[in-house]
Amino acid sequence: MSKKVKFTETVLRDAHQSLLATRMRTEDMIPILESLDKVGYHSLEMWGGATFDSSLRYLDEDPWDRLRKIRKNVKNTKLQMLLRGQNILGYKHYSDDVVEEFVKRAIYNGIDIIRNFDALNDTRNLITALETTKKEGGHAQSCISYTLSPVHNIEYYVKKAKQLEDMGSDSICIKDMSGILTPYVAYDLVKAMKETIKIPVQMHTHYSSGIASMTYLKAIEAGADVVDTAISPLALGTSQPPTEPMVAALQGTDYDSGLNLKQLSDVADYFKPLRDRYLKEGLIDPKVLGVDANTLIYQIPGGMLSNLISQLKAQKKEDQLDAVLKEVPKVREDLGYPPLVTPMSQIVGTQSVFNVITGERYKMVPKEVRDYVSGLYGQPPKPMNPEVIQKIIGDKEVITCRPADNLKPQLEIIREEMKEYMEQDEDVLSYALFPQVALPFFKKRWTEKYKIEGSLYNEEDKTHPI
């Protein structure tokens, strides 16, 4: 029986998010879309993650417009996005009505597959997006964020996968955001999942530690159905394994994907000069293109490591990096071993920096850490250190319910708040997620549309303030 393996191409989202801080413009994507569509990929991952924020904040682009343009040019291949569960694409929990509306508009505008993850693997934070995705006719893929700790083992992950299947997930993604899943562990993990659940299993990892392609091969041997890769010019380093070598490695085997290497080579030829331009413009730091074995030691994703270095530089404390790297696992243990994925990587990392540069652990605590300790992000994998809880929030009660249960409906309030700037239904969601970024974008969009400068109102339509 054929065990044909399918491929998800990440070049339009995670590859450039990992290598050039999500700065690829829509205009750089459009010329290659038709060719990508002809390859025969399982899906193109092209939206979600940090692309939404970056489009508005740095590129002066409407992320919804990007989605529609890609959908217009990709007629045969499924489009896929990454969603942060109840956080949507932001860094806090949103009310259920906002989550529901976002999922509806994403599918309406062209998304086929919504890959849904929670930083704590708290399945309660996935249910609203999962159920809405299925209701709207989309494919609901639920993630398991992979990490290592005394409580994270194969039994834990298989139990989560079964729970997610029972909740109605259409497929499961093993999301190895740090590139720390080793080949033989991957084999055992996928094999155990395939023996327990009946829905497809997809693999996602990063090349940061240098083992990703080997991990994929063993996962495929164990029964993985789909793997995430990036076309070679934007692969390796903190990105995904390269597509073409993986396709070639499977040719002539039971796992042969059937993808054409000549077609993939043509796609790669398009991205080579783009990569060179990004390097020349300084958008790609050559450091992210190599292998960092420290990833296996500290379990720190590449993006988190660069963020730690940036924070230390801002404080003129670069010499304290080793101390911070040693502090990260201690903070993580105190906080119940959260996986180091957004926003937990930022929460653990920032607290570790504060602990080191102040010389006293938990003397300075960011609001996000207080919220996490208070239960506002969900249930940690293991109970937190009670002494640390006491030091951070004192006798304040820690909530144990699903955090969103405490959030009143927000959508209509937000809609009323920004109605003067709304030109499309999706604008309310852009504003809900990133109000401080979306508002200047709306103002500039309106100014350009009506070609006015200096006056408060357009003479023909006085309802649009600038």
Side-chain angles (χ1 to χ4, degrees):
M1 184 174 66
S2 174
K3 301 175 184 177
K4 180 178 178 180
V5 174
K6 300 176 182 178
F7 281 68
T8 289
E9 175 61 60
T10 69
V11 71
L12 301 180
R13 205 285 297 178
D14 202 10
H16 73 95
Q17 179 172 319
S18 298
L19 294 182
L20 56 137
T22 334
R23 297 298 199 276
M24 188 186 293
R25 293 184 173 276
T26 305
E27 64 187 35
D28 288 337
M29 301 177 185
I30 290 177
I32 196 61
L33 292 177
E34 186 177 339
S35 296
L36 285 168
D37 194 23
K38 291 178 180 177
V39 169
Y41 289 112
H42 168 69
S43 63
L44 296 175
E45 197 215 28
M46 40 61 66
W47 211 58
T51 61
F52 200 97
D53 182 8
S54 291
S55 292
L56 290 167
R57 189 184 301 270
Y58 302 114
L59 305 180
D60 198 25
E61 290 186 10
D62 182 355
W64 298 99
D65 186 53
R66 172 181 294 186
L67 171 54
R68 288 189 286 262
K69 285 178 178 176
I70 294 177
R71 178 77 283 172
K72 181 180 179 181
N73 287 276
V74 176
K75 304 183 185 302
N76 304 304
T77 310
K78 292 181 179 179
L79 299 184
Q80 179 174 315
M81 73 165 292
L82 180 67
L83 191 79
R84 297 172 184 157
Q86 207 70 29
N87 290 358
I88 310 180
L89 299 176
Y91 306 97
K92 66 176 184 178
H93 281 220
Y94 296 89
S95 59
D96 286 335
D97 62 333
V98 176
V99 176
E100 290 166 359
E101 183 67 10
F102 188 94
V103 170
K104 288 178 184 177
R105 301 312 301 180
I107 293 174
Y108 174 80
N109 281 280
I111 291 294
D112 299 295
I113 302 171
I114 293 185
R115 176 179 287 178
N116 187 20
F117 83 94
D118 178 68
L120 295 174
N121 290 318
D122 187 337
T123 57
R124 300 174 304 172
N125 294 333
L126 301 178
I127 189 65
T128 299
L130 189 162
E131 291 181 345
T132 307
T133 299
K134 294 181 70 69
K135 182 180 178 181
E136 296 300 312
H139 178 107
Q141 182 176 89
S142 296
C143 284
I144 294 170
S145 297
Y146 182 81
T147 189
L148 296 172
S149 82
V151 296
H152 291 94
N153 51 37
I154 289 177
E155 182 181 1
Y156 169 90
Y157 291 123
V158 171
K159 184 178 179 180
K160 287 288 181 182
K162 179 58 177 170
Q163 186 179 359
L164 291 167
E165 180 185 40
D166 292 344
M167 288 166 57
S169 302
D170 295 310
S171 62
I172 298 295
C173 174
I174 299 172
K175 180 178 171 61
D176 176 25
M177 57 280 177
S178 303
I180 58 174
L181 179 56
T182 55
Y184 288 96
V185 174
Y187 180 92
D188 292 341
L189 175 56
V190 173
K191 186 172 186 293
M193 279 193 184
K194 296 295 288 185
E195 290 172 349
T196 305
I197 62 176
K198 295 180 173 60
I199 56 178
V201 174
Q202 184 159 353
M203 290 291 302
H204 173 91
T205 190
H206 293 252
Y207 218 93
S208 313
S209 64
I211 60 175
S213 293
M214 293 179 280
T215 295
Y216 275 178
L217 281 177
K218 294 305 294 182
I220 288 167
E221 289 178 0
D225 300 280
V226 192
V227 293
D228 287 8
T229 59
I231 203 73
S232 56
L234 289 176
L236 302 173
T238 53
S239 180
Q240 277 71 54
T243 305
E244 306 97 304
M246 186 60 59
V247 168
L250 300 177
Q251 283 184 334
T253 73
D254 289 341
Y255 312 109
D256 195 328
S257 67
L259 300 187
N260 185 295
L261 282 175
K262 176 61 171 66
Q263 285 182 309
L264 292 171
S265 179
D266 291 342
V267 171
D269 286 344
Y270 173 81
F271 283 103
K272 286 174 184 175
L274 271 183
R275 177 197 58 194
D276 293 342
R277 193 186 87 200
Y278 298 145
L279 279 164
K280 187 176 181 180
E281 292 174 353
L283 290 175
I284 298 179
D285 185 336
K287 293 178 182 178
V288 305
L289 299 175
V291 169
D292 186 357
N294 282 329
T295 304
L296 295 168
I297 299 172
Y298 298 114
Q299 297 185 49
I300 294 176
M304 179 181 176
L305 180 59
S306 61
N307 191 45
L308 291 176
I309 294 172
S310 176
Q311 290 185 53
L312 288 170
K313 281 184 178 179
Q315 300 293 327
K316 298 188 180 345
K317 300 280 188 180
E318 300 100 308
D319 60 323
Q320 307 232 26
L321 178 60
D322 285 344
V324 170
L325 292 177
K326 292 175 182 177
E327 179 67 11
V328 166
K330 297 176 184 177
V331 171
R332 190 166 168 248
E333 180 179 2
D334 287 340
L335 300 183
Y337 294 107
L340 295 177
V341 65
T342 302
M344 290 301 121
S345 51
Q346 291 89 337
I347 287 174
V348 171
T350 301
Q351 187 61 64
S352 300
V353 170
F354 284 177
N355 286 358
V356 169
I357 65 176
T358 62
E360 181 181 336
R361 305 188 78 227
Y362 306 107
K363 177 181 180 180
M364 184 183 298
V365 180
K367 177 182 181 298
E368 291 78 9
V369 176
R370 295 185 189 280
D371 287 346
Y372 169 76
V373 172
S374 300
L376 299 183
Y377 286 88
Q379 185 177 26
K382 182 181 179 181
M384 290 179 276
N385 183 334
E387 294 180 4
V388 171
I389 294 176
Q390 178 66 32
K391 189 166 186 178
I392 292 177
I393 63 170
D395 295 326
K396 180 181 177 182
E397 182 181 0
V398 177
I399 70 165
T400 57
C401 66
R402 185 183 74 114
D405 288 343
N406 291 331
L407 298 177
K408 296 179 180 179
Q410 299 170 320
L411 188 63
E412 292 310 314
I413 296 172
I414 296 170
R415 194 190 305 276
E416 180 65 23
E417 185 178 309
M418 56 77 62
K419 64 181 181 181
E420 294 172 311
Y421 304 98
M422 193 164 75
E423 294 187 6
Q424 59 179 350
D425 291 336
E426 291 79 10
D427 286 344
V428 68
L429 296 163
S430 300
Y431 182 82
L433 295 181
F434 303 105
Q436 294 179 331
V437 178
L439 194 56
F441 175 82
F442 294 156
K443 290 180 178 180
K444 183 176 181 181
R445 178 181 65 183
W446 184 85
T447 301
E448 291 177 349
K449 181 176 181 180
Y450 291 97
K451 301 186 185 307
I452 61 171
E453 293 182 7
S455 65
L456 290 177
Y457 299 97
N458 175 265
E459 290 299 319
E460 297 178 1
D461 184 352
K462 298 180 184 294
T463 63
H464 290 76
I466 61 168

